[in-house]
Amino acid sequence: MTDSSVLDLAPVVPVVVVEDVADAVPLARALVAGGLRAIEVTLRTPAALDAIRAVADEVPDAVVGAGTVISPQNVADSVAAGARFLVSPGWTDTLLDAMKKSGVPFLPGVSTTSEVVALLERGVSEMKFFPAEAAGGVPYLKSLAGPLPQARFCPTGGVSLGSAPSYLALKNVGCVGGSWMLPADAVAAKDWARIETLAREAADLK
């Protein structure tokens, strides 16, 4: 990764749940072909770490990361598998210390002003805002920009093709995370061409 910021890789970071490791490489290739290089593979399935390893080994143009990172063990396992960035839904001091020591960029999750201030106090200014829609969405992030202009966010959780531009228009948003370009029926049918088309549509967002 030439830039140490996950937020500047692409306007949209696909949030991927891999059930079958055999799908990981063709799915990643479809996303990259569509213009989405940064790919967050969530640690929600038994296949996740093997999926990260496969994408890291076989899709050199992808910047694969791990999501749903909630423990120091998750951090260690993800980096060992080849993850180039880490994303958590929330954070604790223990988890933050582990992510800081990992040597790769990370986005700890926040949903309140106090959590943002606490991260800024610890020298972290780039964060995941989760669950974005449920936690206040665009109006909430717009309200944070005044008192906390140094904080930048990747809103994730309920973000869609329709709502993404409103988030991306905010000066404190670097990118958004979402899974709308990965409809379950397309993944089940291994319709990688459709996923590439949807990825291209997402990559064109500003």
Side-chain angles (χ1 to χ4, degrees):
M1 191 183 310
T2 55
D3 196 309
S4 61
S5 172
V6 182
L7 300 182
D8 297 326
L9 285 171
V12 179
V13 177
V15 178
V16 183
V17 180
V18 179
E19 300 287 352
D20 182 350
V21 70
D23 291 340
V25 167
L27 191 155
R29 285 177 175 152
L31 292 171
V32 170
L36 300 181
R37 292 179 56 232
I39 301 169
E40 176 188 335
V41 177
T42 64
L43 302 183
R44 299 181 196 174
T45 68
L49 288 172
D50 286 336
I52 291 170
R53 190 172 291 108
V55 174
D57 290 345
E58 300 181 46
V59 192
D61 290 335
V63 179
V64 64
T68 323
V69 173
I70 58 172
S71 69
Q73 190 63 55
N74 285 164
V75 172
D77 291 345
S78 299
V79 173
R84 294 169 64 185
F85 64 90
L86 305 169
V87 184
S88 69
W91 67 276
T92 64
D93 287 326
T94 300
L95 178 58
L96 188 66
D97 287 345
M99 290 195 292
K100 279 187 167 185
K101 291 173 184 173
S102 70
V104 300
F106 58 90
L107 294 175
V110 297
S111 62
T112 69
T113 307
S114 294
E115 290 171 321
V116 176
V117 172
L119 282 178
L120 291 173
E121 192 176 82
R122 288 161 175 77
V124 178
S125 60
E126 299 191 341
M127 312 164 195
K128 171 179 178 171
F129 179 56
F130 176 84
E133 287 290 292
V138 169
Y140 191 93
L141 286 175
K142 190 178 292 185
S143 297
L144 290 182
L148 302 170
Q150 63 273 59
R152 293 178 73 218
F153 302 94
C154 174
T156 306
V159 180
S160 66
L161 179 64
S163 64
S166 297
Y167 282 104
L168 293 169
L170 299 177
K171 59 186 176 184
N172 58 349
V173 169
C175 63
V176 300
S179 55
W180 73 84
M181 73 297 297
L182 298 160
D185 58 338
V187 175
K190 305 188 189 302
D191 189 350
W192 311 127
R194 180 181 169 203
I195 288 172
E196 180 181 337
T197 298
L198 293 171
R200 186 169 290 109
E201 189 178 35
D204 286 341
L205 292 174
K206 295 291 183 286

